[in-house]
């Protein structure tokens, strides 16, 4: 897998509130602007989504793909491509949550490989936009601001 893009933000809420928003995939288009739709295809024995189909429009990266999710208790979730899109060959990522003074620190890590040639600098910029937009949207959604 290629270079990873990582960023963190502190959300003024407890871990359960933050994780509930992360797990509410059908609401992603409301707060994660680059996602146009998110459909839960399967849930695991814990009732959490395990397979989700997304429609993404992040400027230079527009695609439909399916991700498989692995939940690590109440403080982390990992994902990987289960069904590739036309542009997206590989995608791995994670949210890691940690209690901090004043709320929860959320760290988002993402690595993408495209099926089409793209200058590395442009691809990293697109990853950074996806990560930063998601973190800011998550914070706003959880805090209700």
């Amino acid at each position: 897998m290629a270079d990873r893009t990582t960023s963190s933000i502190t959300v003024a809420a407890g871990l359960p509130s933050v994780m509930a928003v992360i797990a509410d995939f059908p609401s992603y288009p409301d707060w994660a602007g680059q996602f146009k739709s998110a459909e839960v295809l399967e849930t695991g024995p814990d009732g959490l989504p395990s397979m989700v189909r997304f429609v993404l429009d992040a400027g230079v990266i527009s695609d439909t793909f399916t991700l498989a999710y692995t939940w690590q208790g109440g403080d982390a979730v990992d994902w990987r491509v289960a069904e590739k899109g036309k542009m997206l060959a590989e995608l791995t990522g994670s949210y890691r949550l940690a209690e901090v003074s004043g709320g929860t620190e959320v760290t988002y890590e993402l690595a993408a490989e495209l099926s089409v040639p793209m200058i590395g600098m442009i691809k990293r910029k697109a990853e950074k936009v996806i990560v930063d937009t998601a973190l800011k949207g998550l914070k706003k959604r959880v805090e209700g601001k």
Side-chain angles (χ1 to χ4, degrees):
M1 186 58 58
D3 295 334
R4 301 179 84 72
T5 300
T6 304
S7 192
S8 297
I9 198 166
T10 299
V11 178
L15 269 91
S17 296
V18 176
M19 194 55 85
V21 171
I22 291 171
D24 183 12
F25 292 104
S27 293
Y28 272 39
D30 296 337
W31 61 268
Q34 66 272 16
F35 290 108
K36 300 308 170 195
S37 71
E39 177 188 3
V40 175
L41 304 176
E42 294 178 19
T43 56
D46 54 7
L48 292 168
S50 59
M51 200 75 66
V52 182
R53 178 178 299 121
F54 290 96
V55 176
L56 174 76
D57 185 359
V60 295
I61 303 173
S62 295
D63 212 346
T64 300
F65 54 90
T66 301
L67 298 179
Y69 285 83
T70 305
W71 300 87
Q72 313 290 333
D75 63 358
V77 60
D78 301 302
W79 60 87
R80 62 174 175 72
V81 168
E83 184 180 311
K84 297 176 184 180
K86 292 178 183 171
M87 288 188 70
L88 197 62
E90 290 296 328
L91 180 77
T92 60
S94 66
Y95 276 113
R96 299 279 182 258
L97 281 57
E99 288 183 17
V100 295
S101 176
T104 302
E105 181 180 60
V106 181
T107 301
Y108 185 167
E109 184 173 88
L110 184 71
E113 284 298 322
L114 302 177
S115 302
V116 296
M118 183 177 289
I119 297 170
M121 180 177 68
I122 295 171
K123 182 176 77 83
R124 283 188 299 279
K125 176 69 173 168
E127 286 177 356
K128 180 139 181 60
V129 167
I130 291 168
V131 168
D132 289 347
T133 301
L135 284 173
K136 289 174 187 168
L138 176 64
K139 179 178 175 72
K140 185 175 180 180
R141 180 77 171 195
V142 173
E143 293 178 353
K145 297 178 182 173

